[in-house]
Structures are given as structure tokens and as C-alpha cells.
Amino acid sequence: MSKVGNSVLSNFIEIRGMSFSRGDRLIFNDIDVDIPRGKVTSIMGPSGTGKTTLLRLIGAQLKPQKGSITVDGQDFLSLKRKELYIAREKMGMLFQSGALFSDLTVFENVAFPLRVHTQLPEDMIRDIVLMKLHAVGLRGARDLMPSELSGGMTRRIALARTIVLDPALVMYDEPFAGQDPIAMGVLVQLIRLLNDALGMTSVLVSHDVSEALSISDHVCIIADGKVIGQGAPSYLKEKGSPLVKQFLQGLPDGPVPFHYPASDYRSDLLSGSESAKLFT
Amino acid sequence: MLNYLRNLGRLAIHTVSVLGRSGVFLAQSLIGVPDVRNGFPLLLKQLYAVGVLSLVIIVVSGLFIGMVLGLQGYNLLVDYGSEQAIGQMVALTLVRELGPVVTGLLFAGRAGSALTAEIGLMKATEQLTSMEMMGVDPLRRIIAPRLWAGFISMPLLAMIFSVVGIWGGMLVGVDWLGVYEGSFWANMQSSVSFQDDVLNGVIKSIVFGFVCTWIAVFQGYDSVPTSEGISVATTKTVVYSSLAVLGLDFVLTAVMFTAF
């Protein structure tokens, strides 16, 4: 349990009793999630379970209908618009698309948060940007435009921009999606290294079970609007529910069935044509 | 019947909701002007994109419309031996009506559609969302400079349109058809009132600029972030802006130029 007011809080993010729905569709039903401070936490689950939505809820881009979200001891849901923008300065988010500003060079993209949020002199901005670009191995690409970058490079530049203000929390939305093995390996290594070197808290949404588990200290698995498992990767692999095990092992059939609900296969085949069915 | 009523109700709720959203959006954008250090370069950049880049279409259109007015006016007035009044006719038509209205329509097509497409694409590529997550308010950083650039550019463009149009009318009337130059300018000077005609025309162009830019940035910001959504939003911008310009022109003309 965290202790607000004290500098040492065990959980950087605490979500309690949160429910969120879009229209009639209930996405989260009374969930509790803990994101430990200084660790890499993976949020996993089948497609369409709302993992990216959870990141947006943490960033207060969406508001839940019920429950509370506390980030670093601060109740994000009670913040006013201006306070929220100030609070977001200590968090960064890496988007699946990279979301680089297409009219700015790589250098200017990374320098953007510094120019907006700080009064640093130009030579210091230059040094910081080059250090961050060097950390992701793309110092040489500083003059390129986003349209000239490959998918992997875009993701790394976006990562450099995300960490340029040394945020306390970085959220990664599907960082490995669509990456070749080399780019994926580089990103996996970078996420772990940056987390440890900068003392950040990292939240990772990913479908790539093996890559995500290899760098995660904590895993939270979501399915059907509920948290079905939460804990260390080794614990979940050994003692998780059948659904958790099915997801982590990538088994095609199990609690999440391979087949969409349908009538008996044999009787369906023998029942005649589809057009005949329309008239019965 | 029940379905008809239900659909009508749904449409009404949707319309009110969009109007409410666009009102809140406008208020937040206007209040949240960036500070001078960050905001002024952004405003200058948008003034160039929205205003300067629209100059060519405005100047060329103004010239041709002025020339057509000169030609049509001459053919009409010469039958009554009043071709000297051509300067008055061209100037009043342009300053009171065609200047603000045609500039508004051209502005919606050239600058409005570009604003919507740009903002819509920024939304589709998550640039606006990433800005929010960086603690930068996109309404202040992206929307406010574009809104102000539209408000400032449109009256200036309308004035340029009218000036070039009058010059086009003079080219045709005086240089080509031989109307006496002194009569052309003297009639114009004696009949065009600064307060009643020029100022009212400027007020019209300020209103059109405000409405067209508001529609354009809101449609972009509120668009569905897909290629189809951006296409729909761009079309809506041009259609809504054109209708708004024509409808408001009637209202403003009725208020400004009708003696009740």
C-alpha cells in the first residue's frame, strides 16, 4: 500500500474499482491495478480488451465512469485541465505510430518538449537532444524528416522524444508491433536499459509475450473487462489461472475457445444449404 | 410516424451536442492563447500558410471579377448614357458584397479545407494525442494560432480583393472601353461612404473570417481519425462555410443596408 505524502511509495500508479464503458460496451468492470514504482510492468491480454484504453485512462485522456486513478500519489481524475497538463509533464507515452510531428526534423521533434516546457539556452537544448538521440543510436539521423525514417527508426526517435524531459513514468503502446527482429531486439533492450538508467517506471502494452515478459518485473493480464492475473512473470506462468496460462503459452484452444459459438458441427453440415436455412 | 419522430429527436440532440462542443472548443481555444515567446512565431507561420498563400487566388479572382463587373456594367449603363457611373457601380458591388462574400467562399475552399485536412491528419496520426501526453495543450499550440491567423487574414484578403477588383473594373471601363477616368474616380469618391460601405464590408469579412476559420478548425479537430473521416470533414468545411457565408451575408446586409 502506498503512503501519500512520503517520498517512498511502493506503487507509482494505483487504480481502484475502476469501471469504464464506451456506449453500451463495458470495457473495464470494477478493476484494481497496481503499477510498482521503478519497475517495468507489462499489461497484456487478448485483442480488444482495452489495453491501450487503460493507458489513456492513466494519462487522463479518458475519464472512467467509476473508481479512482492515482499517479504518484496524485488523484488524476480530480485535476483541472491546466493542472492535468502540468502533471503530464512528468509522464511520457510512446505511441504505436510514433506520432512524430511530420513538419519537424528529427532534431526538432526531440527538442519540442524542451522548447515548450523549459527556458534552457539553445546550446543546452542541443546537447540534451544529441544525448537522447545517441542513447537510441540515432544521433546521425538528426537532420532527417520523419517521412525519411523506417518504422524502427521512427519508434526509436519517438522514444528519444518521450524521455527527453526525463519523465518519471513512460507508457509504451505496442512498441514491438510491426518491427523486424533486429529493431525489436533494440527496442526491448532500450526499454529495460532506460528504465534502469533513468530510474523511471515503465508501463508496457504488448502482444509479444516472450519479448514483453523478458524485460518485465510485473505483469497484469486483462480479459473480459477484468484483471485475470497480476504479479511477477514467473509466478503467473506457474500459478496463474488456466486463462492466464493459455494466453502466456499462446495455446489456440482453452478457456478462450478457438471456435466462435455455433451449433453442433455434424448437424450443421447435414442441415442443408444456407439458402434453404433462410426459408426454414 | 414514431420512427420519424425518433429520428428527428436524435438529429436534434446530435445538432445541439455538436454546437455545444464547437462552442466549448472555440472558448477554450480563444482563451488559451500561447505566450508571446512561443505563440508569435506560430501565429506568423499560420498567417503565411492561411493568408499569404491565399493571395494568388484572391488577387486573380478579384481581378477577373472586377473586369467582368466593368464589362457588364458598361453594357448596361451605356444604354442610358450613364457609363460614367461604372466606377460607382463596381466599387459599391465589390466593397459591399462581392469582396467579402467571394473572398469568404474562396477562403473556405483554399485555406479552410487545408486547415481541416491538416488538423484531421494530425489527429489520425496521433500527433494531437502525443502533444496532450507531453503536457502541451493542442488547443493552445495548434488550434489557437490557426484561428487567429484566419481572423486576421480574412478581412485583409477581402480588402485586397476589392482593391484589385476596382482596378480590374478600371482597366476594362477606362483603358478598354474609353470611359472618362475623372468621372470613373469622381463618381466612386462621391458615392462610396467609408462608414456605410467600406466599414460595413470590413465587418462582413471579419464575421465571415471568424465563422469560416471556426468551422474549419473544429471540423478537423472533431473529425473521425480515418482517411474517410478526414475526407468527410473537409467536404463539410467547404459546404458549411459556404452556406454560412451566404446565409450570414443576407442577415448582415438586411441589418446594415436596409432602412427599416
PDB file of all heavy atoms in Angstrom, chain A residues 95-109:
ATOM      1  N   PHE A  95       3.815   6.142 -28.679  1.00  0.00           N
ATOM      2  CA  PHE A  95       2.654   5.669 -29.439  1.00  0.00           C
ATOM      3  C   PHE A  95       3.074   4.617 -30.463  1.00  0.00           C
ATOM      4  O   PHE A  95       4.203   4.613 -30.934  1.00  0.00           O
ATOM      5  CB  PHE A  95       1.977   6.844 -30.139  1.00  0.00           C
ATOM      6  CG  PHE A  95       1.268   7.756 -29.179  1.00  0.00           C
ATOM      7  CD1 PHE A  95       1.942   8.766 -28.535  1.00  0.00           C
ATOM      8  CD2 PHE A  95      -0.071   7.575 -28.900  1.00  0.00           C
ATOM      9  CE1 PHE A  95       1.303   9.590 -27.638  1.00  0.00           C
ATOM     10  CE2 PHE A  95      -0.718   8.389 -27.993  1.00  0.00           C
ATOM     11  CZ  PHE A  95      -0.032   9.403 -27.364  1.00  0.00           C
ATOM     12  N   GLN A  96       2.095   3.795 -30.817  1.00  0.00           N
ATOM     13  CA  GLN A  96       2.346   2.729 -31.775  1.00  0.00           C
ATOM     14  C   GLN A  96       2.868   3.305 -33.097  1.00  0.00           C
ATOM     15  O   GLN A  96       3.752   2.741 -33.717  1.00  0.00           O
ATOM     16  CB  GLN A  96       1.044   1.966 -32.000  1.00  0.00           C
ATOM     17  CG  GLN A  96       1.256   0.577 -32.552  1.00  0.00           C
ATOM     18  CD  GLN A  96      -0.045  -0.200 -32.589  1.00  0.00           C
ATOM     19  OE1 GLN A  96      -1.002   0.114 -31.901  1.00  0.00           O
ATOM     20  NE2 GLN A  96      -0.074  -1.226 -33.391  1.00  0.00           N
ATOM     21  N   SER A  97       2.296   4.434 -33.504  1.00  0.00           N
ATOM     22  CA  SER A  97       2.700   5.026 -34.786  1.00  0.00           C
ATOM     23  C   SER A  97       3.929   5.924 -34.639  1.00  0.00           C
ATOM     24  O   SER A  97       4.453   6.416 -35.624  1.00  0.00           O
ATOM     25  CB  SER A  97       1.538   5.857 -35.331  1.00  0.00           C
ATOM     26  OG  SER A  97       1.262   6.936 -34.453  1.00  0.00           O
ATOM     27  N   GLY A  98       4.384   6.135 -33.418  1.00  0.00           N
ATOM     28  CA  GLY A  98       5.487   7.066 -33.181  1.00  0.00           C
ATOM     29  C   GLY A  98       4.977   8.477 -32.955  1.00  0.00           C
ATOM     30  O   GLY A  98       5.466   9.183 -32.110  1.00  0.00           O
ATOM     31  N   ALA A  99       3.977   8.882 -33.763  1.00  0.00           N
ATOM     32  CA  ALA A  99       3.331  10.201 -33.644  1.00  0.00           C
ATOM     33  C   ALA A  99       4.335  11.352 -33.689  1.00  0.00           C
ATOM     34  O   ALA A  99       4.197  12.344 -32.981  1.00  0.00           O
ATOM     35  CB  ALA A  99       2.483  10.271 -32.363  1.00  0.00           C
ATOM     36  N   LEU A 100       5.355  11.206 -34.540  1.00  0.00           N
ATOM     37  CA  LEU A 100       6.296  12.323 -34.706  1.00  0.00           C
ATOM     38  C   LEU A 100       5.609  13.446 -35.474  1.00  0.00           C
ATOM     39  O   LEU A 100       4.723  13.183 -36.298  1.00  0.00           O
ATOM     40  CB  LEU A 100       7.538  11.852 -35.478  1.00  0.00           C
ATOM     41  CG  LEU A 100       8.411  10.799 -34.813  1.00  0.00           C
ATOM     42  CD1 LEU A 100       9.589  10.447 -35.708  1.00  0.00           C
ATOM     43  CD2 LEU A 100       8.924  11.267 -33.457  1.00  0.00           C
ATOM     44  N   PHE A 101       6.026  14.680 -35.217  1.00  0.00           N
ATOM     45  CA  PHE A 101       5.435  15.812 -35.939  1.00  0.00           C
ATOM     46  C   PHE A 101       6.034  15.852 -37.341  1.00  0.00           C
ATOM     47  O   PHE A 101       7.243  16.036 -37.501  1.00  0.00           O
ATOM     48  CB  PHE A 101       5.687  17.120 -35.180  1.00  0.00           C
ATOM     49  CG  PHE A 101       5.162  17.076 -33.779  1.00  0.00           C
ATOM     50  CD1 PHE A 101       5.956  17.408 -32.701  1.00  0.00           C
ATOM     51  CD2 PHE A 101       3.860  16.663 -33.534  1.00  0.00           C
ATOM     52  CE1 PHE A 101       5.474  17.344 -31.402  1.00  0.00           C
ATOM     53  CE2 PHE A 101       3.364  16.593 -32.236  1.00  0.00           C
ATOM     54  CZ  PHE A 101       4.175  16.927 -31.175  1.00  0.00           C
ATOM     55  N   SER A 102       5.171  15.684 -38.323  1.00  0.00           N
ATOM     56  CA  SER A 102       5.653  15.460 -39.688  1.00  0.00           C
ATOM     57  C   SER A 102       6.307  16.697 -40.311  1.00  0.00           C
ATOM     58  O   SER A 102       7.031  16.580 -41.286  1.00  0.00           O
ATOM     59  CB  SER A 102       4.502  14.967 -40.560  1.00  0.00           C
ATOM     60  OG  SER A 102       3.362  15.751 -40.336  1.00  0.00           O
ATOM     61  N   ASP A 103       6.073  17.888 -39.735  1.00  0.00           N
ATOM     62  CA  ASP A 103       6.667  19.095 -40.324  1.00  0.00           C
ATOM     63  C   ASP A 103       7.977  19.492 -39.638  1.00  0.00           C
ATOM     64  O   ASP A 103       8.543  20.529 -39.963  1.00  0.00           O
ATOM     65  CB  ASP A 103       5.671  20.263 -40.266  1.00  0.00           C
ATOM     66  CG  ASP A 103       5.222  20.566 -38.837  1.00  0.00           C
ATOM     67  OD1 ASP A 103       5.248  19.633 -38.004  1.00  0.00           O
ATOM     68  OD2 ASP A 103       4.866  21.722 -38.555  1.00  0.00           O
ATOM     69  N   LEU A 104       8.438  18.671 -38.684  1.00  0.00           N
ATOM     70  CA  LEU A 104       9.684  18.986 -37.976  1.00  0.00           C
ATOM     71  C   LEU A 104      10.736  17.912 -38.249  1.00  0.00           C
ATOM     72  O   LEU A 104      10.393  16.744 -38.438  1.00  0.00           O
ATOM     73  CB  LEU A 104       9.437  19.076 -36.461  1.00  0.00           C
ATOM     74  CG  LEU A 104       8.416  20.104 -35.954  1.00  0.00           C
ATOM     75  CD1 LEU A 104       8.305  20.015 -34.436  1.00  0.00           C
ATOM     76  CD2 LEU A 104       8.817  21.505 -36.364  1.00  0.00           C
ATOM     77  N   THR A 105      12.000  18.303 -38.224  1.00  0.00           N
ATOM     78  CA  THR A 105      13.079  17.323 -38.388  1.00  0.00           C
ATOM     79  C   THR A 105      13.163  16.454 -37.134  1.00  0.00           C
ATOM     80  O   THR A 105      12.531  16.758 -36.110  1.00  0.00           O
ATOM     81  CB  THR A 105      14.448  18.017 -38.576  1.00  0.00           C
ATOM     82  OG1 THR A 105      14.708  18.768 -37.381  1.00  0.00           O
ATOM     83  CG2 THR A 105      14.456  18.934 -39.780  1.00  0.00           C
ATOM     84  N   VAL A 106      13.972  15.418 -37.224  1.00  0.00           N
ATOM     85  CA  VAL A 106      14.182  14.533 -36.076  1.00  0.00           C
ATOM     86  C   VAL A 106      14.672  15.355 -34.875  1.00  0.00           C
ATOM     87  O   VAL A 106      14.152  15.229 -33.760  1.00  0.00           O
ATOM     88  CB  VAL A 106      15.208  13.433 -36.454  1.00  0.00           C
ATOM     89  CG1 VAL A 106      15.779  12.767 -35.217  1.00  0.00           C
ATOM     90  CG2 VAL A 106      14.564  12.416 -37.378  1.00  0.00           C
ATOM     91  N   PHE A 107      15.645  16.222 -35.107  1.00  0.00           N
ATOM     92  CA  PHE A 107      16.201  17.044 -34.026  1.00  0.00           C
ATOM     93  C   PHE A 107      15.103  17.889 -33.384  1.00  0.00           C
ATOM     94  O   PHE A 107      14.958  17.914 -32.153  1.00  0.00           O
ATOM     95  CB  PHE A 107      17.321  17.939 -34.576  1.00  0.00           C
ATOM     96  CG  PHE A 107      17.989  18.779 -33.524  1.00  0.00           C
ATOM     97  CD1 PHE A 107      19.137  18.335 -32.880  1.00  0.00           C
ATOM     98  CD2 PHE A 107      17.464  20.018 -33.152  1.00  0.00           C
ATOM     99  CE1 PHE A 107      19.741  19.104 -31.897  1.00  0.00           C
ATOM    100  CE2 PHE A 107      18.063  20.789 -32.169  1.00  0.00           C
ATOM    101  CZ  PHE A 107      19.208  20.333 -31.545  1.00  0.00           C
ATOM    102  N   GLU A 108      14.326  18.561 -34.230  1.00  0.00           N
ATOM    103  CA  GLU A 108      13.284  19.451 -33.703  1.00  0.00           C
ATOM    104  C   GLU A 108      12.184  18.664 -32.992  1.00  0.00           C
ATOM    105  O   GLU A 108      11.585  19.164 -32.039  1.00  0.00           O
ATOM    106  CB  GLU A 108      12.692  20.304 -34.829  1.00  0.00           C
ATOM    107  CG  GLU A 108      13.616  21.403 -35.310  1.00  0.00           C
ATOM    108  CD  GLU A 108      14.033  22.370 -34.206  1.00  0.00           C
ATOM    109  OE1 GLU A 108      13.229  22.662 -33.308  1.00  0.00           O
ATOM    110  OE2 GLU A 108      15.197  22.811 -34.216  1.00  0.00           O
ATOM    111  N   ASN A 109      11.894  17.464 -33.469  1.00  0.00           N
ATOM    112  CA  ASN A 109      10.907  16.622 -32.795  1.00  0.00           C
ATOM    113  C   ASN A 109      11.336  16.317 -31.366  1.00  0.00           C
ATOM    114  O   ASN A 109      10.545  16.418 -30.430  1.00  0.00           O
ATOM    115  CB  ASN A 109      10.722  15.306 -33.561  1.00  0.00           C
ATOM    116  CG  ASN A 109       9.482  15.317 -34.427  1.00  0.00           C
ATOM    117  OD1 ASN A 109       8.367  15.261 -33.913  1.00  0.00           O
ATOM    118  ND2 ASN A 109       9.661  15.413 -35.726  1.00  0.00           N
TER     119      ASN A 109
END
